[in-house]
Amino acid sequence: EREVTLGRDGLLDNVTTTWVTNTGASSCRMYYELHQATLENVPRARIEVPVGIALFPRDSNKTPRRWVERRYNIVHWREQRRGGHFAALDAPDLFVEDVRLFFRGVRP
Protein backbone atom coordinates (compact mmCIF):
# COMPACT_ATOMS: atom_id res chain seq x y z
CA GLU A 1 0.00 0.00 0.00
CA ARG A 2 1.42 3.36 -1.03
CA GLU A 3 1.04 6.30 1.30
CA VAL A 4 0.07 9.59 -0.35
CA THR A 5 1.86 12.42 1.40
CA LEU A 6 1.87 15.31 -1.07
CA GLY A 7 -1.72 15.55 -2.16
CA ARG A 8 -2.86 17.16 -5.38
CA ASP A 9 -1.97 20.75 -4.38
CA GLY A 10 1.50 19.72 -3.21
CA LEU A 11 2.15 17.86 -6.43
CA LEU A 12 0.97 20.82 -8.52
CA ASP A 13 3.15 23.18 -6.44
CA ASN A 14 6.18 21.00 -7.10
CA VAL A 15 5.51 20.65 -10.84
CA THR A 16 4.78 24.37 -11.20
CA THR A 17 7.99 25.32 -9.39
CA THR A 18 10.00 23.07 -11.70
CA TRP A 19 8.23 24.45 -14.77
CA VAL A 20 8.45 28.15 -13.84
CA THR A 21 12.13 27.95 -12.85
CA ASN A 22 12.97 25.92 -15.96
CA THR A 23 14.79 23.30 -13.87
CA GLY A 24 13.17 20.16 -15.27
CA ALA A 25 16.20 19.14 -17.33
CA SER A 26 18.68 19.64 -14.50
CA SER A 27 16.45 17.72 -12.11
CA CYS A 28 16.63 14.73 -14.47
CA ARG A 29 20.36 14.99 -15.26
CA MET A 30 21.32 12.30 -12.75
CA TYR A 31 19.03 9.79 -14.46
CA TYR A 32 20.47 10.65 -17.87
CA GLU A 33 24.04 10.26 -16.58
CA LEU A 34 23.23 6.91 -14.97
CA HIS A 35 21.68 5.71 -18.22
CA GLN A 36 24.78 6.77 -20.19
CA ALA A 37 27.22 5.16 -17.74
CA THR A 38 28.95 1.96 -18.75
CA LEU A 39 31.71 0.03 -17.02
CA GLU A 40 34.18 1.57 -19.48
CA ASN A 41 33.38 5.23 -18.75
CA VAL A 42 32.73 5.20 -15.00
CA PRO A 43 35.70 6.45 -12.96
CA ARG A 44 37.12 3.66 -10.80
CA ALA A 45 38.93 5.81 -8.24
CA ARG A 46 37.65 5.89 -4.69
CA ILE A 47 35.90 9.15 -3.75
CA GLU A 48 37.44 10.52 -0.54
CA VAL A 49 35.13 13.50 -0.06
CA PRO A 50 32.98 12.85 3.06
CA VAL A 51 29.66 11.35 1.99
CA GLY A 52 26.38 11.06 3.90
CA ILE A 53 23.70 8.55 2.96
CA ALA A 54 20.08 8.61 4.07
CA LEU A 55 18.04 5.58 3.06
CA PHE A 56 14.30 6.02 2.97
CA PRO A 57 12.16 2.86 2.96
CA ARG A 58 10.13 3.71 -0.14
CA ASP A 59 13.10 4.84 -2.24
CA SER A 60 13.96 2.88 -5.35
CA ASN A 61 17.70 2.66 -4.63
CA LYS A 62 18.63 -0.03 -2.10
CA THR A 63 22.39 -0.41 -2.62
CA PRO A 64 24.02 -2.40 0.20
CA ARG A 65 26.26 -0.35 2.49
CA ARG A 66 29.31 -2.56 1.92
CA TRP A 67 29.12 -1.84 -1.83
CA VAL A 68 28.88 1.90 -1.27
CA GLU A 69 31.76 1.89 1.26
CA ARG A 70 34.09 0.34 -1.34
CA ARG A 71 33.74 3.42 -3.51
CA TYR A 72 32.95 6.31 -1.16
CA ASN A 73 34.20 7.74 2.14
CA ILE A 74 30.98 7.18 4.10
CA VAL A 75 30.97 9.28 7.26
CA HIS A 76 27.21 9.25 7.86
CA TRP A 77 24.72 6.44 7.15
CA ARG A 78 21.16 6.49 8.38
CA GLU A 79 18.17 4.33 7.59
CA GLN A 80 14.99 6.33 8.00
CA ARG A 81 11.67 5.00 9.25
CA ARG A 82 9.51 6.67 6.58
CA GLY A 83 9.76 8.55 3.32
CA GLY A 84 10.57 7.76 -0.26
CA HIS A 85 12.43 8.95 -3.32
CA PHE A 86 11.33 12.55 -2.78
CA ALA A 87 12.30 12.57 0.89
CA ALA A 88 12.34 16.36 1.22
CA LEU A 89 8.65 16.33 0.29
CA ASP A 90 7.66 12.99 1.87
CA ALA A 91 9.36 13.41 5.24
CA PRO A 92 10.84 16.92 5.47
CA ASP A 93 11.44 16.65 9.21
CA LEU A 94 13.57 13.51 8.82
CA PHE A 95 15.34 14.90 5.76
CA VAL A 96 16.34 18.17 7.48
CA GLU A 97 17.40 16.37 10.66
CA ASP A 98 19.58 14.03 8.62
CA VAL A 99 21.25 16.83 6.63
CA ARG A 100 22.00 18.67 9.88
CA LEU A 101 23.49 15.55 11.48
CA PHE A 102 25.72 14.98 8.46
CA PHE A 103 27.07 18.54 8.42
CA ARG A 104 27.62 18.58 12.19
CA GLY A 105 29.94 15.64 11.67
CA VAL A 106 31.99 17.20 8.87
CA ARG A 107 32.12 20.86 9.90
CA PRO A 108 35.49 22.03 11.25
Side-chain angles (χ1 to χ4, degrees):
E1 179 179 335
R2 182 154 167 82
E3 178 182 328
V4 177
T5 56
L6 266 184
R8 185 177 294 164
D9 286 344
L11 178 61
L12 289 173
D13 289 346
N14 192 32
V15 170
T16 301
T17 300
T18 303
W19 183 274
V20 169
T21 59
N22 199 25
T23 54
S26 63
S27 71
C28 296
R29 174 80 188 252
M30 176 181 72
Y31 305 106
Y32 171 80
E33 296 292 342
L34 286 171
H35 181 71
Q36 297 301 311
T38 65
L39 290 178
E40 292 80 38
N41 67 13
V42 172
R44 298 178 197 276
R46 181 173 160 80
I47 309 298
E48 292 301 333
V49 173
V51 173
I53 302 289
L55 296 174
F56 291 84
R58 290 191 338 263
D59 198 351
S60 56
N61 186 4
K62 307 267 188 192
T63 306
R65 182 175 180 158
R66 71 184 200 296
W67 291 7
V68 178
E69 287 176 333
R70 287 183 202 154
R71 190 71 200 282
Y72 298 95
N73 175 22
I74 304 298
V75 298
H76 176 84
W77 183 279
R78 192 165 180 203
E79 296 185 22
Q80 298 291 355
R81 64 186 178 276
R82 61 183 161 79
H85 184 70
F86 298 103
L89 297 171
D90 287 342
D93 55 330
L94 297 179
F95 179 81
V96 169
E97 178 185 1
D98 199 75
V99 170
R100 287 178 175 161
L101 282 172
F102 168 74
F103 279 104
R104 275 189 209 124
V106 297
R107 250 190 311 202

